[in-house]
């Protein structure tokens, strides 16, 4: 999401003749696009600001700004750091040129106003990664779900769906510039809904239209909320070959009691029913998730339920975290952060160890199977090997042969670790 937002920022500033550099020491302006989801994400930014003091010593003209969720959350507090002369929240990027002029005059420029309408319509993002074969397109902004632990609805504001015409033209632009895989982005893509007098478009409609633009280009999407993943969506994935058979479906916890405290609006049975439906319609679908442990009042029984759900689903991969209390959320006000740090650490270790086993099991089951892999680059270990991903989003390393990054390659898997498959070329 932040990569996509940084591309909007690069486009806005590009109009003002700013150019992007990959060499930090060359920059006159450093904008740090931030995440507030957990405390450690914010700690990294404070460290980054410390490190930039050195750059400022070498280049006294250097301007530093903080943008994104942390800017939204902390506003003026960030500008107390002498290095920071600009603070812009996620809905303020159109105003950046004016803000930079203001910062030039000496006062820090701060804008953290959230908007109910801003979708950056009419701004064609400037792609930051040259030679990339995958690109991101935002389809919605913000979130209305108010999971009790989560800061996102406060930092990114209310949910807004983007005009489908803008989405389609951004996807087309990526296709025209040689991208082979496009990921549609939103905090909750399944609640995408664009309604005018002429049109009434939901996420499966949009996904299908996008996938028809060029059937040789793969389409992915993230993130899906389990409460909103409809039969229509599952069927749309099943029916369209270039929509990847992979669903990232954050479960958060396997305990219905915890899910209620989290305000997730589904329970374990609902989640398991959705998984069954996915298996039924898309037998080879990759399923990945987000899980976090140690939320308010989580007991050993709740934790065991998370482990048992993980086994029952057999996730291919998971992002796993410890609960981090975020100031301003419902949980920070009403649901005490009362699981001791050692317990959180122990539970997270158990979750990670189990996922390791599940990933190995899932990968071993792929040995002997053939996959179409989009080659993304040269393997770190050998320049005679390429790496890429299959539809299920698993990384596969294979011999280079006559192929180049950007090619689709047929690969047969013969070995694996928990993180990677190894394959040979299928002639
Ligand atoms: N603490 C820990 N993890 C969190 N997530 C969201 N908020 C928190 C929090 N306060 C996790 C959820 C979400 C992912 C993006 O981050 O698992 O799906
Ligand atoms: Fe946060 Fe819940 Fe919205 Fe995801 S759905 S961004 S976890 S509030």
């Amino acid at each position: 999401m932040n990569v996509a937002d940084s591309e909007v920022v690069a486009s806005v500033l590009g109009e003002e003749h700013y150019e992007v550099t990959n060499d930090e020491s060359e920059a006159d302006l450093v904008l740090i696009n931030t995440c507030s989801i957990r405390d450690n994400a914010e700690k990294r930014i404070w460290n980054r600001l410390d490190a930039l003091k050195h750059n400022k010593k070498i280049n006294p003209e250097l301007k530093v700004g903080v943008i994104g969720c942390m800017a939204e959350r902390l506003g003026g507090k960030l500008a107390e750091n002498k290095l920071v002369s600009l603070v812009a929240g996620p809905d303020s990027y159109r105003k950046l040129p004016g803000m930079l002029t203001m910062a030039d005059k000496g006062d820090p420029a701060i804008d953290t106003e959230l908007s109910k309408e801003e979708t950056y319509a009419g701004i064609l993002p400037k792609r930051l990664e040259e030679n990339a074969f995958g690109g991101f397109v935002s389809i919605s902004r913000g979130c209305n779900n108010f999971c009790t632990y989560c800061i996102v609805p406060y930092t990114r504001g209310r949910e807004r769906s983007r005009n489908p015409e803008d989405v389609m033209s951004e996807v087309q632009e990526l296709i025209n510039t040689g991208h082979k895989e496009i990921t549609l982005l939103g905090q909750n893509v399944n609640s995408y809904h664009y309604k005018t007098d002429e049109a009434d478009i939901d996420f499966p409609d949009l996904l299908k239209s996008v996938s028809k633009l060029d059937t040789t280009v793969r389409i992915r999407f993230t993130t899906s909320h389990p409460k909103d993943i409809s039969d229509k969506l599952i069927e749309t994935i099943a029916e369209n070959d270039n929509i990847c058979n992979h669903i990232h479906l954050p479960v958060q916890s396997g305990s219905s009691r915890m899910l209620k405290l989290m305000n997730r609006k589904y329970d374990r049975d609902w989640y398991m029913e959705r998984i069954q439906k996915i298996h039924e319609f898309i037998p080879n679908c990759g399923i990945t998730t987000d899980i976090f442990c140690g939320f308010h009042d989580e007991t050993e029984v709740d934790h065991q339920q998370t482990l048992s759900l993980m086994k029952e689903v057999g996730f291919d991969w998971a992002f796993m975290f410890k609960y981090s209390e975020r100031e301003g959320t419902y949980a920070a006000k009403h649901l005490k952060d009362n699981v001791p740090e050692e317990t959180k650490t122990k539970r997270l270790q158990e979750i990670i160890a189990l996922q390791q086993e599940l990933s190995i099991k899932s990968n071993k089951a792929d040995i002997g199977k053939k996959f179409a892999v989009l080659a993304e680059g040269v393997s770190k270990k050998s320049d005679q090997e390429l790496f890429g991903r299959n539809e299920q989003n698993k990384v596969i390393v294979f011999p280079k042969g006559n192929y180049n990054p950007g090619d689709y390659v047929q690969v047969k898997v013969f070995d694996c670790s928990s993180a990677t498959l190894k394959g040979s070329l299928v002639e």
Side-chain angles (χ1 to χ4, degrees):
M1 194 71 74
N2 273 359
V3 171
D5 275 8
S6 295
E7 295 184 335
V8 168
V9 169
S11 172
V12 170
L13 293 181
E15 294 291 313
E16 303 291 309
H17 310 295
Y18 279 87
E19 278 175 34
V20 176
T21 172
N22 289 323
D23 177 0
E24 197 176 285
S25 68
E26 197 184 76
D28 318 295
L29 169 66
V30 174
L31 295 179
I32 311 181
N33 197 354
T34 57
C35 171
S36 290
I37 199 110
R38 282 169 293 276
D39 187 49
N40 54 10
E42 291 199 357
K43 281 210 178 98
R44 287 219 301 271
I45 301 302
W46 289 114
N47 291 338
R48 197 70 198 278
L49 284 171
D50 265 351
L52 279 169
K53 278 189 200 146
H54 172 75
N55 300 43
K56 179 87 178 172
K57 259 188 213 145
I58 295 169
N59 173 12
E61 297 299 307
L62 175 70
K63 259 190 289 187
V64 176
V66 179
I67 64 174
C69 286
M70 200 173 158
E72 189 61 47
R73 204 177 82 72
L74 297 175
K77 271 191 219 157
L78 278 161
E80 286 168 16
N81 181 317
K82 277 202 208 93
L83 193 68
V84 176
S85 60
L86 180 146
V87 180
D91 288 341
S92 306
Y93 301 151
R94 280 184 203 270
K95 300 181 219 158
L96 282 172
M99 293 175 72
L100 285 166
T101 311
M102 188 175 152
D104 273 341
K105 292 188 184 143
D107 282 334
I110 301 167
D111 192 316
T112 55
E113 201 178 320
L114 286 175
S115 155
K116 290 204 175 88
E117 284 93 35
E118 180 63 278
T119 58
Y120 296 113
I123 295 178
L124 186 64
K126 180 174 170 14
R127 303 301 164 189
L128 291 174
E129 261 192 72
E130 285 165 30
N131 309 324
F133 298 100
F136 298 113
V137 175
S138 290
I139 64 162
S140 60
R141 298 186 68 81
C143 182
N144 286 349
N145 287 321
F146 288 94
C147 301
T148 52
Y149 52 83
C150 182
I151 194 73
V152 168
Y154 305 91
T155 56
R156 297 187 75 94
R158 294 291 63 73
E159 185 179 292
R160 289 139 276 168
S161 294
R162 297 186 68 206
N163 185 327
E165 281 172 24
D166 277 358
V167 172
M168 297 286 276
S169 64
E170 278 183 30
V171 172
Q172 188 62 55
E173 174 69 20
L174 285 171
I175 295 171
N176 295 347
T177 48
H179 292 79
K180 296 286 172 58
E181 185 176 280
I182 289 155
T183 306
L184 304 181
L185 293 177
Q187 302 298 340
N188 177 10
V189 289
N190 303 111
S191 59
Y192 177 89
H193 194 194
Y194 192 83
K195 197 166 185 298
T196 59
D197 289 343
E198 293 88 48
D200 188 351
I201 295 176
D202 65 9
F203 180 57
D205 298 333
L206 179 75
L207 185 62
K208 190 169 169 180
S209 306
V210 164
S211 74
K212 299 281 183 218
L213 283 173
D214 182 338
T215 52
T216 67
V217 169
R218 276 180 174 175
I219 308 298
R220 299 185 185 276
F221 57 89
T222 194
T223 285
S224 294
H225 194 303
K227 80 177 162 65
D228 295 316
I229 182 158
S230 62
D231 289 0
K232 184 174 166 187
L233 175 68
I234 298 170
E235 285 158 16
T236 303
I237 302 168
E239 283 161 11
N240 294 278
D241 282 350
N242 61 323
I243 302 177
C244 285
N245 291 346
H246 169 227
I247 301 182
H248 185 67
L249 200 60
V251 67
Q252 316 300 5
S253 168
S255 152
S256 294
R257 194 182 77 87
M258 292 316 289
L259 291 169
K260 191 146 183 50
L261 285 169
M262 291 173 176
N263 191 31
R264 289 291 286 177
K265 302 190 183 90
Y266 58 86
D267 61 11
R268 181 186 173 115
D269 289 347
W270 169 274
Y271 189 88
M272 289 312 302
E273 189 279 329
R274 292 288 79 195
I275 295 290
Q276 257 174 16
K277 182 87 190 181
I278 294 169
H279 284 320
E280 193 183 313
F281 278 75
I282 319 168
N284 59 351
C285 194
I287 301 178
T288 55
T289 200
D290 295 348
I291 294 175
F292 71 96
C293 63
F295 187 51
H296 169 74
D297 268 359
E298 186 189 68
T299 62
E300 187 57 30
V301 173
D302 296 312
H303 171 59
Q304 288 303 327
Q305 284 177 2
T306 294
L307 297 176
S308 80
L309 178 130
M310 290 171 69
K311 282 186 220 157
E312 217 173 310
V313 179
F315 292 113
D316 296 301
W317 178 257
F319 294 104
M320 299 158 281
F321 316 103
K322 284 190 237 179
Y323 172 54
S324 163
E325 186 179 80
R326 311 310 291 133
E327 197 188 333
T329 56
Y330 180 90
K333 288 180 206 144
H334 305 286
L335 304 169
K336 207 162 179 267
D337 182 11
N338 56 3
V339 174
E341 187 59 29
E342 314 81 74
T343 312
K344 285 184 186 171
T345 304
K346 177 182 150 280
R347 287 181 188 164
L348 181 62
Q349 280 166 353
E350 288 174 13
I351 289 171
I352 292 172
L354 173 58
Q355 186 52 51
Q356 187 93 350
E357 275 175 38
L358 295 175
S359 295
I360 292 236
K361 193 169 160 205
S362 154
N363 287 351
K364 277 193 177 152
D366 285 339
I367 292 177
K369 290 189 193 160
K370 287 179 201 159
F371 294 102
V373 179
L374 172 61
E376 286 173 40
V378 177
S379 148
K380 271 188 211 133
K381 287 195 186 138
S382 155
D383 61 5
Q384 290 310 302
E385 288 180 327
L386 296 176
F387 75 92
R389 281 166 203 270
N390 66 5
E391 263 195 86
Q392 289 75 7
N393 213 29
K394 288 186 180 176
V395 176
I396 306 192
V397 176
F398 55 93
K400 189 170 180 308
N402 293 322
Y403 293 105
N404 291 306
D407 291 338
Y408 278 109
V409 186
Q410 288 294 326
V411 176
K412 185 172 177 181
V413 174
F414 66 85
D415 197 7
C416 69
S417 68
S418 66
T420 330
L421 302 175
K422 254 193 117 93
S424 53
L425 297 173
V426 179
E427 297 311 332

